[in-house]
Amino acid sequence: RRYVEFELGLGVMQTFHKLIFDRSLPGACPYAEIKYVFRKVPVDLGLNASAQIFSRTGENEKQDFMSWNIMAVSDYSFYQTSTMRLYAGLGVGLSFFEWNHHIMRVGPSTYASGGGDYSILCAMPRIGINFYNHLNVSLGYIFEDSANSNLNLRVAYVF
């Protein structure tokens, strides 16, 4: 493994809060991560930037949601071989979004959420597996405002 790794990935995400809508649709979650890998201990520290893009639907209506996250992340590799590594980690940082859990319907397909853009502290526990130091697959849950919290499955290439 390298001392510094850069990771580019894409994933699918699902929020479980419907809010005032009938359904939450799966969405996309592109991300990038840079991390420092410690050689003598199975820990790495890094910075993760991601976006979550998804929609909610109701009767003859659809509202798009997007949130962005910047997090400090750390992973602990609890099992390693020469070709794969299992890890668990945690990210803590800030989320930025336009629509929050206070969303209200003010007309046909017209919504308001009581103000402008929002930011809030967020956390993301995750587990994952890395193959051949280049292919990374992870499962995480981003805890933020209830309108934007989501479960995500990500696949990435590590440089």
Side-chain angles (χ1 to χ4, degrees), residues 16-34:
F16 300 102
H17 300 280
K18 295 186 292 187
L19 304 176
I20 61 173
F21 300 93
D22 296 330
R23 290 182 52 205
S24 292
L25 303 175
C29 52
Y31 77 101
E33 187 168 306
I34 187 168

Side-chain angles (χ1 to χ4, degrees), residues 53-106:
I53 306 157
F54 62 102
S55 300
R56 290 186 172 96
T57 61
E59 188 175 319
N60 300 318
E61 60 186 349
K62 179 180 175 185
Q63 178 63 46
D64 296 325
F65 287 75
M66 181 182 287
S67 65
W68 302 267
N69 308 98
I70 301 288
M71 288 185 261
V73 292
S74 181
D75 294 319
Y76 174 75
S77 299
F78 57 87
Y79 180 77
Q80 296 182 41
T81 69
S82 62
T83 59
M84 67 99 138
R85 174 175 63 90
L86 295 173
Y87 65 89
L90 179 66
V92 177
L94 288 174
S95 290
F96 305 92
F97 45 88
E98 181 179 4
W99 299 105
N100 70 6
H101 65 276
H102 296 296
I103 192 168
M104 307 174 277
R105 187 176 285 109
V106 294

